[in-house]
Structure formats: C-alpha cells, structure tokens
C-alpha cells in the first residue's frame, strides 16, 4: 500500500468514526427531545439546555457524517446521467462533483475563519459554553470534508477511477457502519 493509499485509508477510517460519533449524537438528540417533551407535558417546565444540546448534537451529526458520505460518493446519489454517459465522461462528471465539494468545503472553512474569531468568544444562551466549542464539530467536519474532497480530486487527477470504493484496498465496497 503506497503512501497515498494509506492517507486515503486513514481518511476513510476517520470518516467512519465520524459516522459512529454521529450515531451517538443522533441518539443523544432523540433522548433530549423525549426528555424535553416529558418535562413540558408532565412537569410544566422547559429545559432550554436540552434544546441547545439537541441542536449541538444535530449539527455534529450532520457535519461529522458528511465526509464519509463524500468519500463514498453518496452525498447525492442520483446516477441517472452518469449511468447514461460513456465511462470517461462519467469519470469527468465525478471529478467535477469532487471539485465542487472541495470548493464548498473551502468556502465553509473560510466562513468559519471569518465568523469564529468574532463570535467564538460569546457564550450560548442556555448551556453557557463558548460558541467556538458549540461549532467545533462543524469545523472539524468541514476540515475533514475538505481533506476527503482534496484526496479524491488528487486521486482522480492521477488516473484513479472516482467511483472506486473509498479507503479500501480489496476492491470491495466499504463496510457500512
């Protein structure tokens, strides 16, 4: 396994861990919603911290899961056009998709660089944690998405087929988390 394949394999494994953490965050968000509804209906009280923590969990879920989906080319799985195209054109379309994902991730990172220095020092209303902590999972996911999109783009430019399984040397489909 060459150095480039090791990096891809590492990014795929980190992406899989992001999905696993996302599943934990999904469970936490669901539990917090149930607790919030029970508190309102049975005890006539609101739990603002539960709403805020559930929102944090949902933000983390999305941003930590997206890099794994991008690596597997599952962000948008409408394949009608690529399936109708000749293989070379389909590969070019996949490269274009990876370039668009890279541009989107770069825009997200630039936005965080502009937003967090100013807003990161303020505290969230209910949990009283700094905004930089609140948005840390989104920032980490955006950085990982940029790395995955860059890795896929560079691999495609070196001649790899963009539809190959991501982070897998056996040629089989990646194991689903």
């Amino acid at each position: 396994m060459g150095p480039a394949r090791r990096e891809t394999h590492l990014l795929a494994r980190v992406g899989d861990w992001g999905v696993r953490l996302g599943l934990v965050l999904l469970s936490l968000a669901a539990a917090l919603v149930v607790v919030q509804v029970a508190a309102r209906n049975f005890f006539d009280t609101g739990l603002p911290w539960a709403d805020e923590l559930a929102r944090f969990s949902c933000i983390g879920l999305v941003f930590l899961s997206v890099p794994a989906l991008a690596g597997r080319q599952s962000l948008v799985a409408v394949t009608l056009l690529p399936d109708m195209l000749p293989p070379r054109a389909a590969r070019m379309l996949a490269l274009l998709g990876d370039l668009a994902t890279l541009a989107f991730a770069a825009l997200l990172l630039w936005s965080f660089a502009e937003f967090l220095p100013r807003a990161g020092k303020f505290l969230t209303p209910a949990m009283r944690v700094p905004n930089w902590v609140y948005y840390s999972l989104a920032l980490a996911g955006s950085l990982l998405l940029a790395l995955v999109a860059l890795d896929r783009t560079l691999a495609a430019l070196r001649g790899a087929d963009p539809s190959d399984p991501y982070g897998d040397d056996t040629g089989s489909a990646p194991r689903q988390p």
Side-chain angles (χ1 to χ4, degrees):
M1 179 184 333
R5 288 301 284 166
R6 266 190 235 116
E7 290 165 5
T8 298
H9 188 68
L10 177 64
L11 286 172
R13 291 189 69 184
V14 171
D16 285 346
W17 277 104
V19 170
R20 287 184 181 95
L21 181 56
L23 291 173
V24 170
L25 292 169
L26 178 62
S27 300
L28 177 63
L32 287 167
V33 168
V34 170
V35 167
Q36 177 75 322
V37 168
R40 285 186 183 168
N41 289 328
F42 298 121
F43 303 107
D44 201 27
T45 186
L47 303 172
W49 61 268
D51 279 343
E52 203 168 272
L53 187 54
R55 205 171 312 120
F56 171 78
S57 298
C58 289
I59 290 170
L61 160 69
V62 169
F63 280 92
L64 292 176
S65 299
V66 164
L69 295 173
R72 297 174 185 153
Q73 268 198 327
S74 299
L75 280 174
V76 178
V78 178
T79 62
L80 180 66
L81 180 60
D83 289 346
M84 291 177 14
L85 293 173
R88 181 176 166 93
R91 283 193 303 274
M92 293 303 290
L93 194 58
L95 174 61
L96 181 63
D98 288 333
L99 286 169
T101 302
L102 180 59
F104 175 73
L107 180 63
L108 274 174
L109 290 171
W110 177 68
S111 298
F112 276 120
E114 291 291 319
F115 170 73
L116 282 180
R118 290 191 309 264
K121 60 185 173 239
F122 296 108
L123 303 177
T124 61
M127 293 189 313
R128 310 298 296 163
V129 298
N131 274 332
W132 70 266
V133 172
Y134 198 76
Y135 290 103
S136 62
L137 296 180
L139 177 60
S142 299
L143 182 58
L144 185 57
L145 177 62
L147 291 173
V148 166
L150 180 63
D151 179 65
R152 287 185 57 80
T153 300
L154 292 175
L157 291 175
R158 287 190 302 261
D161 185 352
S163 63
D164 281 346
Y166 191 71
D168 183 31
D169 292 327
T170 65
S172 62
R175 184 182 57 78
Q176 297 296 322

